[in-house]
Each structure stands twice: as C-alpha cells, then as structure tokens.
Amino acid sequence: QGQVAESGGGSVQAGGSLTLTCTYSRHRGSSNYCMGWFRQAPGKEREGVAVVNGDGSPKYPDSAKGRFTISKTKDKDDAILTLQIRNLNVEDAGWYYCGIMLYCTIAELGARTYGRWGLGTQVTVLS
C-alpha cells in the first residue's frame, strides 16, 4: 500500500525559504493517485497548501499562489513530492503533512479525501 514520510521542516526566519520533501514509497499497487501538502496550525483544521493532479500538474489555493511551488518526481518506485516555500511569514507555521489520495486523477485541496498520511514535519517561523 505504500509508506509516506515527510522531511525538511525546521525553524526559519521570517522572509526566508524552506523546502519540504515527501517520499511515497513501495506503492507499486497504486497506479492512479494524487499527492499534496497540507498544513495544520494549532487549533485549526488541516488545510491544503499545494496538491498535484495525477498527471503531475499543480493546484494551489489563492493564499499559496506565488510563494509556494510543488513538484513531483520519481526515484525508481518512489514518488517524491517537494514543496518550496518562499518569503515565509508567521502564518506559514504549523505541521506540514503529505497526503495521498488513491484512485485519483484530479486532486482536491480538502484534506478529508486523502486517506494516507505521513507523520508530518514541523515548520516554525521566527519573527
């Protein structure tokens, strides 16, 4: 069924940049899937910041356009999903999770339709 693992979080000064990486491994049985990055701040629901459709094309909410860049690549049987965040501000802080939606061609920004998650990576923005 595959495993999901995120990395790249940490503490960054406001205005700085950060790259998060998600590895979706051993997923040979799942051919049609979408992937995405989601943020969850304390006391708030998990929200999509960038997702990719089954064909690799990206989708962003309006709040993320211009500062967030998502890309999907492959490394043998693993899918690699990176998220670049530029000009970080305190509102970008939170836990970032990589989500997998199986049997998907058109990704959604809502987190509820994603059935497989990693443990997350934390992003702290220092003002």
Side-chain angles (χ1 to χ4, degrees), residues 11-72:
S11 296
V12 184
Q13 289 285 345
S17 300
L18 197 66
T19 298
L20 305 180
T21 302
C22 168
T23 302
Y24 180 34
S25 59
R26 294 185 286 177
H27 61 90
R28 296 178 184 178
S30 49
S31 58
N32 298 324
Y33 60 92
C34 299
M35 300 177 70
W37 279 101
F38 299 79
R39 178 180 63 228
Q40 189 163 18
K44 295 188 178 181
E45 292 188 357
R46 193 171 297 185
E47 60 178 354
V49 296
V51 299
V52 292
N53 295 315
D55 63 358
S57 57
K59 182 186 296 183
Y60 307 93
D62 289 341
S63 59
K65 290 179 181 178
R67 294 194 303 116
F68 289 66
T69 302
I70 191 170
S71 63
K72 178 184 170 185

Side-chain angles (χ1 to χ4, degrees), residues 57-115:
S57 57
K59 182 186 296 183
Y60 307 93
D62 289 341
S63 59
K65 290 179 181 178
R67 294 194 303 116
F68 289 66
T69 302
I70 191 170
S71 63
K72 178 184 170 185
T73 57
K74 290 190 68 176
D75 182 7
K76 297 182 180 179
D77 292 327
D78 296 347
I80 310 297
L81 190 72
T82 61
L83 179 70
Q84 295 180 331
I85 312 173
R86 298 176 296 278
N87 193 21
L88 280 149
N89 59 61
V90 294
E91 294 180 348
D92 296 324
W95 279 88
Y96 282 72
Y97 297 90
C98 180
I100 310 296
M101 183 193 310
L102 297 179
Y103 311 111
C104 167
T105 54
I106 304 298
E108 298 182 20
L109 289 167
R112 295 182 180 181
T113 54
Y114 290 75

